[in-house]
């Protein structure tokens, strides 16, 4: 085991990975890092920078330096960052759920390992409001992603991966997938076998 990184080293690395809040709000950034990390066994999400999180950060940073994905086998933290342009003080920046990212990895594998474009991932309350998202949006919980539309609702249902799916009426392709069963607002108890589904008129 390599010696634990100093907080200053960790802040610099987290900043490079996309946590531009790491200097000002270290524990928030550590929490976001722990929440999504999927390059090994799940980290305890306790916002504390201990030896396990330090080792995980070394792995992510080494991959980042080598131009490889730094959060999971094929995804990087910055792809899921709130797109508010860092204007909102309370924004946590990146707080995507590991279980959702694992489903995205499975989805990616199911389409022959083709890359998936993340159009929108985490959204803080203020940014969600700005883009006209619903107040209980799964994006607020780090449990949702808007993606480029490739599969129809039937095809996505067959994968049995996501608990919420929205498709574009004009193309029939699914452009929003979420894991509301893993940490989002889920009043109807939706699951991947009984997903919430809706269409976007545009
Ligand atoms: Zn934000």
């Amino acid at each position: 085991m390599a010696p634990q990184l100093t907080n200053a080293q960790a802040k610099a690395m987290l900043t490079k990975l996309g946590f531009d809040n790491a200097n000002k709000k270290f524990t928030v950034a550590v929490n976001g890092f722990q929440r999504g990390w999927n390059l090994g066994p799940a980290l305890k999400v306790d916002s504390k920078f201990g030896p396990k999180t330090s080792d995980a950060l070394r792995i992510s940073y080494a991959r980042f330096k080598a131009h490889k994905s730094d959060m999971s086998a094929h995804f990087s933290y910055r792809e899921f960052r709130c797109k508010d342009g860092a204007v909102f003080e309370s924004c946590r920046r990146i707080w995507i759920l590991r279980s959702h990212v694992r489903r995205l990895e499975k989805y990616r594998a199911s389409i022959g390992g083709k890359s998936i474009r993340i159009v929108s991932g985490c959204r803080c309350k203020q940014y969600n409001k700005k883009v006209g998202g619903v107040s209980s949006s799964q994006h607020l919980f780090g449990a949702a992603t808007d993606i480029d539309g490739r599969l129809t609702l039937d095809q996505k249902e067959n994968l049995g991966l996501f608990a919420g799916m929205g498709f574009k009426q004009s193309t029939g392709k699914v452009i929003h997938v979420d894991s509301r069963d893993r940490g989002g607002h889920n009043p109807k108890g939706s699951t991947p076998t009984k997903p919430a589904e809706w269409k976007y008129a545009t």
Side-chain angles (χ1 to χ4, degrees):
M1 208 182 254
Q4 187 173 324
L5 296 163
T6 64
N7 284 8
Q9 288 173 319
K11 284 174 187 176
M13 288 183 186
L14 285 167
T15 302
K16 291 272 191 194
L17 296 184
F19 292 90
D20 61 314
N21 54 347
N23 281 311
K24 274 184 167 173
K25 296 190 174 175
F26 185 47
T27 54
V28 174
V30 168
N31 183 287
F33 176 81
Q34 291 172 330
R35 240 165 109 87
W37 198 73
N38 190 36
L39 289 167
L43 293 170
K44 191 176 170 192
V45 185
D46 60 3
S47 313
K48 290 179 188 148
F49 192 70
K52 282 189 179 155
T53 302
S54 173
D55 285 351
L57 182 54
R58 279 186 192 277
I59 292 169
S60 287
Y61 189 67
R63 287 181 62 96
F64 167 79
K65 293 284 274 182
H67 306 287
K68 291 178 181 166
S69 60
D70 52 47
M71 180 175 57
S72 70
H74 303 96
F75 294 99
S76 291
Y77 283 99
R78 62 179 64 247
E79 293 179 83
F80 300 91
R81 184 168 61 185
C82 180
K83 292 188 170 167
D84 68 357
V87 295
F88 299 115
E89 184 65 27
S90 62
C91 181
R92 292 151 70 193
R93 302 291 189 263
I94 308 162
W95 61 99
I96 197 80
L97 286 175
R98 179 180 193 265
S99 50
H100 184 65
V101 175
R102 288 172 67 88
R103 288 173 176 178
L104 289 173
E105 286 283 2
K106 284 184 188 161
Y107 165 44
R108 190 182 185 282
S110 80
I111 55 169
K114 295 192 190 91
S115 64
I116 298 166
R117 191 164 70 85
I118 307 297
V119 177
S120 177
C122 302
R123 281 186 211 155
C124 63
K125 222 171 165 178
Q126 293 95 325
Y127 180 64
N128 186 57
K129 210 170 170 183
K130 199 173 150 187
V131 296
V134 294
S135 62
S136 59
S137 169
Q138 298 301 319
H139 293 275
L140 296 169
F141 305 100
T145 42
D146 291 344
I147 52 173
D148 47 344
R150 285 175 195 271
L151 302 185
T152 63
L153 195 56
D154 282 352
Q155 289 172 313
K156 271 278 203 313
E157 269 181 3
N158 288 338
L159 293 175
L161 290 174
F162 300 104
M165 289 179 274
F167 65 98
K168 205 169 171 172
Q169 190 170 23
S170 58
T171 62
K173 300 287 172 67
V174 173
I175 54 168
H176 167 111
V177 291
D178 68 58
S179 298
R180 59 187 65 202
D181 56 323
R182 296 295 180 91
H185 178 71
N186 192 18
K188 290 186 180 151
S190 303
T191 63
T193 48
K194 213 181 121 232
E197 297 169 350
W198 65 94
K199 67 183 173 200
Y200 297 102
T202 50

